[in-house]
Amino acid sequence: SIAALIVLILTLTSNNISTRLLKNKWKKLHRLVYVAGLVVLFHIFQIEKANLVLLGLLVTPAVILEAIRLGRFLASNASS
């Protein structure tokens, strides 16, 4: 699947050698984790259409963590 391929690429490039070789491109590449997450959520939604409670239980922690991360990012940018 697409998400598995993305995670495989991220796994193979999650080391010091890759960060040195890829430099700024490494961070852009590792932002694909968001794409993989969306693909996984879409897949879960397609499988579990009838079970929205399960989908909510899986999505809610990710949304909360992203909201915290976004809040910290915005706060750090506002102070600089």
Side-chain angles (χ1 to χ4, degrees):
S1 84
I2 296 170
L5 180 62
I6 292 171
V7 171
L8 175 64
I9 292 168
L10 296 177
T11 302
L12 293 174
T13 59
S14 292
N15 57 62
N16 292 336
I17 295 170
S18 294
T19 55
R20 260 195 323 271
L21 291 174
L22 294 171
K23 297 181 182 175
N24 292 337
K25 293 177 185 176
W26 183 88
K27 189 172 186 176
K28 290 179 185 177
L29 176 67
H30 277 255
R31 287 186 178 150
L32 284 175
V33 75
Y34 299 109
V35 175
L38 290 174
V39 171
V40 168
L41 290 176
F42 179 75
H43 180 73
I44 291 170
F45 179 72
Q46 290 298 313
I47 292 172
E48 299 289 340
K49 282 182 185 174
N51 195 346
L52 294 178
V53 172
L54 175 62
L55 183 62
L57 288 172
L58 293 171
V59 171
T60 301
V63 169
I64 291 170
L65 290 173
E66 279 303 305
I68 292 169
R69 190 183 71 79
L70 180 61
R72 288 181 180 169
F73 174 77
L74 293 174
S76 71
N77 281 350
S79 64
S80 40

